Every structure is written in C-alpha cells, then in structure tokens.
Amino acid sequence: MQSYRLTHLQELEAEAIYVLREVASQFENPALLFSGGKDSIIVAHMARKAFWPAKIPFPLVHVDTGHNFPETIEFRDQYIKDIDATLIVGSVQKSIDEGKVIEEKGYSASRNILQTVTLLDTIEKNKFDCAMGGARRDEEKARAKERFFSHRDEFGQWDPKNQRPELWNIFNGKKNIGEHFRVFPISNWTEMDVWQYILQEKIQIPSIYLAHERDVFVRDGVIMSTTDFIQQRETEPTIRMKVRFRTIGDATCTGAVESDADTVEKVIEEVAAARTTERGTRSDDKRSEAAMEDRKKEGYF
Amino acid sequence: METNSYLDMELLRFSTAGSVDDGKSTLIGRLLYDSKSIFQDQYDAIEETSRRKGEENVNLALLTDGLRAEREQGITIDVAYRYFATPKRKFIIADTPGHIQYTRNMVTGSSTSNLSIILVDARHGVVEQTCRHTFISSLLGIPHVVFCVNKMDLVNYSEEVYLKIKNDLEAFSSKLNVKDIHFVPISALNGDNVVNKSENMDWYQGSSLMYLLENIHIGSDYNHIDCRFPVQYVIRPQSEKYHDYRGYAGRIAGGIFKPGDKVAVLPSGFTSSIKSIDIMDGSLSEAFAPMSVTITLDDDIDVSRGDMLVRDNNRPNINQDIDIMICWLNEKKMLLNGKYAVKHTSNDVRCIIKEVKYKININNLHRIEDDKEVNMNEIARISIRTTKPLLYDKYINNRFTGSLILIDEGTNETVGAGMII
C-alpha cells in the first residue's frame, strides 16, 4: 500500500503556499519584501508556485539602503525580469536626503537600523496593508516569538507581550484602518531547510552566497568586505580571501565566512557542520542582547 | 548529515508543557544541546548571561526565553518555537509556558502538534497542572502524548517512585481521549534518558525520549479518508496562454483526490469531475492532506473562496446551529448572546453565542453547571448559531474542518478557540 506522507520540505512548502494564498485573499494591497537574499528568494519562488499559472498578484518591495553588494542588485533586477513581477524600491538614501533619518557616524556606522523608517514610509505611501517577508523564527530569539500573521499598530509597532493567539492554520488578518500586518510564510524554516530547498528546486541565488575570492578586512573578529561605504582603520589592512556570505544584508554590517563551498551541495555540508548561527556574522544583532527585539518593536522586520 | 538523506526526512511538531520549575526549558535546552543543535555563539551568549547572574551551571533555559521581560523575570511568557533536526526527522517545538494564566498559550501551541510532552516532577507526582495539561492535549486532539517523569536524579532514580506516578497518570488518562501514551523517566539536567539511555536506571526497559520522537509513527495523523478541499483562492490568469484557465487553489484538509473523481461543490451542491490537479511543476496523479494544490474541474460552475469540494458520497455536516468546546483566550469574558466574527476553514461568518451548557474544571474534569460565566483560560461547551451554514466535521475526525476561532468585532482580537463536537 502506498504511504501518504510528505517529506518535511514538502510539508513546509505546503504551509508557506497556504500562507501566501491566505494573504492574497485576506488583504487588499499586500506586498512581498524582497532583498535579493536567499530567504526572500525562496518566498518569491513559492509565491510563483502558489498562484501559477497566474502571475504573483502583489508587487515585490526592496528597501534599499544604498549600501548593497553589487551582485545582489544585479541579481534582483534580473530576477524581477525573469519572473515578470513588479518591483517597488524604497530608498534609505532618499529618507536621509529628506531629513527623515540621520546617518550614523563613525567606524561602525550602518544604515541597517535606518531601514525601519524607510520601510514604514514605503508601506504608508503605497498603502500596503500587509508586508510579507522571509524572516524565520530560528534566526534570532525575539523572532522565535513571532506569529505568522503579526499585527502592527498605526505606528508600525510590534507588541510582543500582547500578540494574538494563532491556532491551527486559521489566520486572523482583521485590522483597523491605518494598521497593517507583517506576514512570515517561512516562519518554520531553518537555514538548513532553506538551503535544501534551494538545492531541491534548483533555485538561482546571488553569486556571493557561494565561495569566491574577495578583498576583505577583519574587524572585531568578523570578516568584512571592502566597500566604499566602510571606513577601514589603519589596523585593518585589506587582505584577499576565499569567502562566502551566509546572510546578505546591508554591506556595512554583514560579515563573510571563510569558505571553500562553491556549490549549493558544499554549502549544505558546511551548514551542517557549522558551529555558529548564520546571524553570528551580523554585527547589527550584536549591539545588545535585545537588539533585535528592540528594533522589531519599532517596526523593523 | 548526508545531503540526500535530508531530502527524505519527516516533520514532527510537538509541544511541551509543565508546571513552573518542572525543568521544561532545561529539557528543551538538553534536546537541542545533545542533538548538537545549539551553536557555539548561542552557547557562549547564555554561558555569559548565566555567569553574570551568578548561576553555577550554564542555564540552558536561557536559550528559549527570547523576550527581555522573560529573561528579566526568569519566566516564559509566550509560546516560543524552536527547531532541531536529527538525520531522521525535523522537529518543531512549541514551547508553552506552564503558568496558570497561560492556558491559552498551551492551547495555541498544541493546536498544530502531533505530539505533546508533559513534564511531571518526580518529587511531586501528578499535580493539578499535570491533569490540566493532559486534558488540554486530549481536547486539542494531539495524537501522541509522552509523559516525562523528570528530576529522577532527585529521587535517587527510584523505580518505585516512577511506577507510582505512571500508575496515577494511566488512571487519569483513561478518562480522556488520548490515543497513544508513552512514559519515560528522565533527568533533563543530567541528560538521563533524554537522548541517550540512562546508566542510572537499568530497571527501565523502554526507549529514550529522543528515540520516541524519532520513531513514533505519525503517518496516520492526517485524515486520509474523508475528502475535503476548502477553496482558498480562485486562480484566473487572464493571459493569452491560459485564457480560459480557472483553478481552485487550496490546502487539502482531508482525504485523497485524483483526476476523474466525481466531486460535489458545497454549499451549492453542483457536481462535476476533477479535470486536473496542478502545481507549477506539472500535474499530479493524486493529492492528499496537507498538500497545497490547484484543482480544475470539467464543468464551468461557480466556485469561490469559502466553498468546499468533497466526494459526492461523503459530505461534511452543513449546519448553522453548532455545538463547540471553546477555550476562551481574552481578558474580556465571553458574552452570552454576544455576536462574534468566526473564521472556519476559508470561511468568514458571524455568530451569536446561544447557550453555555457547562464549563469544565480542567483540574479534575468535573462539569460546572451553576456558574456559566466564561473567562480567560476557561473551557466550556457552548452552542452557537452562525449567519450562514458551516461545512464542518467533528474536531476529533478532522482538525482542519473541525476547528474555528472567534474574533471580537470591536478589537479584532482572536478571543476564542473552538472545537466542533
């Protein structure tokens, strides 16, 4: 007799597709946040699956810090073209120019935290009532408390101690005018699941996820790419190393790891053997024990 | 871990419940630590915090307490989700707080679980909270329950103590609807029988907790008999190539569907046949719960979100007057004759609370018939009338089509979790 069972990746995919369709049904004007990072890529991939043969019924939104790895932007533009989707870009540079935020100064200056203002602005300007993203509960301890459907008040704030209970697979997206939702279709995925899914589905990803030769320098034990956006100290000489990135965020706060993994298969082996979390290379999380919780309360993803 | 073996793993969702200080967080920390799912930087961070707080050992509980308030107060406030994998299975843990005021969190965390781990302190045996957690597991229809008798190290690993507790648990559980029960004596702190078999309890012939988690048969946890397909979204590409395409997207809530099957569309009652079951990579020869697919029909009939495709000869209940067990989740008490919004499968309706039949004392399962005020964390049997008929099954037969939530129409908060009787 045939056994009717799904592998864990099939079950996770079925859950994510269900969430994506629920968003398209419950919200009038949703959007998918798309950074060109692997997590948002797999969400976009499943959005294609969820609505095939129709096009993805919502735009993709990139909150652009202006401090990108060029490979990510190239990838983003090609990807949008390939899947025939609509892209909306919210620019942090513009928020700075308009005086809405003030750029951090000093050696460890980053625009990562400024994204929140631009994100909330973009949501407001386009009247999005739901912003989906590729955040996962396993990434960070504050995110472990997050719901699939996460309510935000009119200021975009998250109230982690007073969240709506979420039962079975019934999602309550009801809200008042001016409020919105953040929805996380891949809440239950781990870094390993994402990589396995990329392999299984043969999904294209930006080249910097795979090992390559790069000019880097070391700061506080983290390997950083040399870029125009970071000021190197004299004690931080440029060196050439074979590296890859485990996460892709703002270039000023995303570190690389030394690696020989130049194929997805090799990345999976490396992830299986890894002894640090992927956000261990993110200096934005290291600012304090509750850094992520504090940013999320304000409206960060 | 082999690349290929990982592609053939199953998913097991479990929840953990225990009283305050039963060592629940320690157990989860132990499972993560012994299965090598804790990363060095996470371990370093909690080691540092433990040291700062002047604690003797590394406090594995700190791994699961994600919010600042939780770490400050040393308690778990909200359901936290944790993930780990072994070569056999991927696990999702819903870690639910054990405090009395947080029954709603346990109901929430348990609602999607295949398995429930209930911790019992070997020194205290079966206490009120144990009964409550067992009852909630049974009420939520969790197919498998594992009782972990914890802190065996503090009772000298005594078989006698363990057997007494096991007997008590068996007696209590026999009154409930739990299909599959297991018992394991453990010490979460020292790791006895958690991942590895304990050398301190050679009298115990059973398996370790991890062995159970990896091997319990979960293939029958979904209903593969009664065909239920709630239509979630209608796909109409309106493109040149797919001009006439009309697909019904949704997640199969029960049964097995195949092209050619005769189906009825409810509530209209029109019948048709399945033309194809589509996914982006092509068409399927069959699909079953809990897959997300798109179904096309041979006939052009009106089908929209909220409708349900079923087998013509196996239909769900269709009714406006429905009896449910409700767990109340909100500080504002439930209002008799009050009106609430209802979400059930892909349907949105409204309802009125017609009657509270009785409440249940969840510590001893006695019915309370003289006090019918339903407050937060209380469980009651009630009757509701909905604005239009729901297409449902009994909760014990199908968790997807037998569950609903009540929403306060003023605040939009989810206030009640209902299981249809």
Side-chain angles (χ1 to χ4, degrees):
Chain A
M1 196 190 117
Q2 196 197 331
S3 107
Y4 291 100
R5 53 175 280 262
L6 299 178
T7 67
H8 78 292
L9 285 179
Q10 289 171 323
E11 195 164 334
L12 290 172
E13 185 198 58
E15 176 179 84
I17 288 177
Y18 175 81
V19 172
L20 285 156
R21 288 170 172 168
E22 210 50 28
V23 166
S25 305
Q26 291 197 31
F27 297 97
E28 276 173 30
N29 194 17
L32 171 59
L33 296 186
F34 185 80
S35 63
K38 66 184 189 322
D39 300 323
S40 59
I41 292 169
I42 70 157
V43 177
H45 178 77
M46 288 188 284
R48 288 177 64 209
K49 285 191 148 188
F51 303 102
W52 184 91
K55 285 199 289 186
I56 300 176
F58 36 74
L60 276 55
V61 170
H62 183 210
V63 175
D64 183 356
T65 62
H67 289 171
N68 300 291
F69 296 105
E71 293 93 333
T72 318
I73 297 299
E74 263 167 49
F75 178 88
R76 178 194 78 184
D77 293 342
Q78 187 59 46
Y79 187 78
I80 297 291
K81 222 167 107 188
D82 289 348
I83 68 168
D84 194 14
T86 312
L87 178 73
I88 293 172
V89 178
S91 158
V92 173
Q93 184 62 52
K94 212 164 144 243
S95 302
I96 294 169
D97 296 343
E98 289 168 358
K100 286 183 172 155
V101 292
I102 295 168
E103 182 129 46
E104 291 183 359
K105 300 215 166 52
Y107 283 104
S108 56
S110 166
R111 287 182 172 181
N112 184 67
I113 204 159
L114 309 183
Q115 288 181 85
T116 304
V117 174
T118 309
L119 170 61
L120 292 174
D121 259 12
T122 309
I123 288 172
E124 203 167 314
K125 205 172 78 195
N126 294 280
K127 297 195 169 59
F128 292 131
D129 53 358
C130 171
M132 285 173 279
R136 311 189 319 263
R137 288 172 179 156
D138 85 315
E139 279 178 84
E140 209 283 332
K141 53 190 181 297
R143 282 190 170 159
K145 302 274 165 171
E146 188 58 275
R147 302 288 190 260
F148 274 90
F149 272 46
S150 184
H151 180 256
R152 298 299 141 109
D153 67 13
E154 64 266 51
F155 298 103
Q157 297 180 110
W158 182 54
D159 182 2
K161 281 164 76 179
N162 194 22
Q163 300 192 76
R164 291 181 188 176
E166 202 159 75
L167 297 114
W168 300 291
N169 57 347
I170 309 177
F171 297 110
N172 175 2
K174 288 184 188 285
K175 60 180 172 6
N176 292 318
I177 292 167
E179 300 173 345
H180 74 275
F181 269 78
R182 300 287 172 86
V183 172
F184 307 102
I186 58 165
S187 288
N188 279 331
W189 296 53
T190 61
E191 181 186 17
M192 185 59 140
D193 298 329
V194 170
W195 279 109
Q196 289 289 348
Y197 190 70
I198 288 168
L199 179 69
Q200 178 185 291
E201 301 285 303
K202 302 184 179 66
I203 297 172
Q204 294 298 310
I205 47 169
S207 56
I208 58 173
Y209 276 117
L210 303 176
H212 57 287
E213 295 272 340
R214 194 175 196 94
D215 283 337
V216 296
F217 66 95
V218 177
R219 172 176 293 176
D220 301 332
V222 178
I223 303 167
M224 305 293 293
S225 178
T226 59
T227 84
D228 296 343
F229 320 122
I230 313 180
Q231 224 181 317
Q232 278 167 253
R233 294 190 181 90
E234 272 176 31
T235 53
E236 297 169 338
T238 300
I239 40 178
R240 189 108 181 133
M241 280 170 82
K242 195 165 187 192
V243 297
R244 67 175 198 89
F245 291 86
R246 284 178 80 182
T247 70
I248 296 183
D250 185 279
T252 59
C253 65
T254 307
V257 289
E258 211 173 348
S259 169
D260 283 320
D262 52 9
T263 64
V264 173
E265 286 90 342
K266 285 186 196 165
V267 169
I268 288 167
E269 281 169 33
E270 202 179 273
V271 170
R275 296 307 302 144
T276 54
T277 53
E278 60 180 329
R279 292 194 76 91
T281 57
R282 294 290 285 259
S283 60
D284 46 332
D285 290 351
K286 291 193 169 165
R287 292 188 172 189
S288 87
E289 193 172 14
M292 175 67 92
E293 181 180 341
D294 292 342
R295 278 180 295 155
K296 277 182 68 70
K297 281 180 183 164
E298 310 260 301
Y300 182 77
F301 232 88
Chain B
M1 206 180 288
E2 288 293 316
T3 308
N4 289 335
S5 72
Y6 195 92
L7 294 175
D8 192 29
M9 281 163 55
E10 279 181 314
L11 180 64
L12 179 101
R13 299 171 200 253
F14 68 92
S15 51
T16 53
S19 317
V20 183
D21 298 331
D22 265 350
K24 187 163 54 68
S25 297
T26 313
L27 175 66
I28 293 174
R30 175 59 65 184
L31 282 171
L32 298 176
Y33 188 76
D34 284 2
S35 64
K36 303 188 172 55
S37 310
I38 291 177
F39 294 105
Q40 194 63 46
D41 53 335
Q42 286 175 307
Y43 190 81
D44 292 346
I46 62 164
E47 190 177 33
E48 163 67 19
T49 308
S50 305
R51 200 177 48 74
R52 219 172 42 227
K53 287 182 159 180
E55 293 181 25
E56 207 172 302
N57 296 314
V58 174
N59 185 353
L60 293 173
L62 291 171
L63 274 173
T64 59
D65 292 335
L67 301 177
R68 189 202 305 265
E70 294 178 320
R71 287 191 298 277
E72 282 168 6
Q73 298 170 39
I75 55 160
T76 312
I77 291 171
D78 198 351
V79 185
Y81 295 91
R82 296 285 152 194
Y83 304 85
F84 71 100
T86 68
K88 278 197 160 162
R89 280 183 178 163
K90 170 192 163 111
F91 299 96
I92 301 179
I93 313 174
D95 180 17
T96 63
H99 309 277
I100 184 158
Q101 65 270 40
Y102 293 128
T103 294
R104 71 174 213 165
N105 286 328
M106 182 170 171
V107 170
T108 304
S110 304
S111 67
T112 52
S113 294
N114 306 91
L115 181 147
S116 163
I117 293 180
I118 298 174
L119 279 151
V120 183
D121 188 324
R123 295 169 302 171
H124 306 139
V126 178
V127 295
E128 264 187 14
Q129 297 205 30
T130 320
C131 298
R132 186 187 319 151
H133 296 146
T134 313
F135 172 65
I136 292 174
S137 299
S138 142
L139 182 72
L140 270 291
I142 300 178
H144 316 277
V145 172
V146 179
F147 289 103
C148 288
V149 180
N150 190 24
K151 305 199 180 179
M152 288 300 292
D153 52 318
L154 300 181
V155 295
N156 296 319
Y157 297 105
S158 158
E159 181 179 18
E160 202 184 327
V161 170
Y162 168 71
L163 288 178
K164 164 85 175 59
I165 294 172
K166 181 168 179 257
N167 278 335
D168 292 349
L169 289 168
E170 277 171 331
F172 180 77
S173 309
S174 65
K175 292 185 266 180
L176 298 167
N177 166 45
V178 187
K179 288 177 218 152
D180 182 31
I181 300 184
H182 300 264
F183 302 89
V184 189
I186 64 166
S187 164
L189 190 65
N190 300 332
D192 294 283
N193 288 334
V194 177
V195 171
N196 303 311
K197 281 288 297 276
S198 167
E199 289 171 9
N200 297 313
M201 289 176 272
D202 48 11
W203 46 263
Y204 173 69
Q205 301 300 317
S207 38
S208 70
L209 174 62
M210 182 65 97
Y211 183 88
L212 278 176
L213 294 175
E214 283 191 307
N215 291 287
I216 272 181
H217 175 70
I218 52 172
S220 321
D221 290 0
Y222 286 107
N223 180 329
H224 286 145
I225 296 161
D226 311 304
C227 293
R228 305 284 184 260
F229 184 75
V231 175
Q232 199 186 353
Y233 187 86
V234 180
I235 293 177
R236 303 208 54 190
Q238 290 165 326
S239 62
E240 201 75 11
K241 191 173 168 197
Y242 295 97
H243 194 268
D244 294 322
Y245 189 93
R246 198 179 162 86
Y248 307 108
R251 194 171 186 192
I252 297 172
I256 299 156
F257 288 86
K258 295 188 178 77
D261 282 352
K262 262 190 88 74
V263 290
V265 180
L266 300 179
S268 72
F270 288 121
T271 56
S272 182
S273 300
I274 295 180
K275 185 168 154 194
S276 65
I277 301 173
D278 297 337
I279 53 173
M280 191 170 76
D281 312 306
S283 291
L284 301 172
S285 58
E286 60 183 357
F288 50 91
M291 290 167 73
S292 284
V293 295
T294 301
I295 291 179
T296 63
L297 299 178
D298 277 334
D299 304 280
D300 228 351
I301 44 181
D302 178 34
V303 183
S304 52
R305 177 174 167 90
D307 292 351
M308 192 184 281
L309 304 185
V310 302
R311 288 296 286 272
D312 201 12
N313 57 0
N314 176 344
R315 299 189 176 200
N317 300 297
I318 305 179
N319 211 330
Q320 276 177 277
D321 292 295
I322 298 164
D323 267 21
I324 60 178
M325 293 297 287
I326 189 121
C327 175
W328 201 249
L329 309 168
N330 202 267
E331 282 154 6
K332 265 166 64 185
K333 67 176 184 190
M334 186 179 82
L335 296 175
L336 187 61
N337 297 319
K339 296 189 177 80
Y340 294 92
V342 179
K343 271 189 181 287
H344 169 256
T345 66
S346 51
N347 247 310
D348 280 280
V349 299
R350 299 175 71 219
C351 81
I352 181 165
I353 312 283
K354 300 286 283 185
E355 188 191 353
V356 178
K357 299 213 157 141
Y358 54 82
K359 289 201 295 187
I360 291 185
N361 179 332
I362 55 176
N363 298 320
N364 56 21
L365 309 188
H366 293 166
R367 290 183 182 184
I368 304 167
E369 311 207 28
D370 51 352
D371 166 18
K372 294 189 172 172
E373 193 176 281
V374 183
N375 293 299
M376 180 146 96
N377 292 314
E378 292 191 318
I379 289 165
R381 178 172 174 151
I382 63 169
S383 301
I384 60 170
R385 181 172 174 82
T386 54
T387 46
K388 65 173 195 174
L390 295 185
L391 310 161
Y392 67 91
D393 294 286
K394 288 181 178 179
Y395 184 79
I396 52 165
N397 293 331
N398 193 318
R399 285 165 100 176
F400 288 115
T401 55
S403 55
L404 55 81
I405 60 170
L406 299 190
I407 296 165
D408 183 306
E409 294 184 303
T411 63
N412 294 323
E413 286 177 315
T414 303
V415 293
M419 285 140 282
I420 302 173
I421 297 169

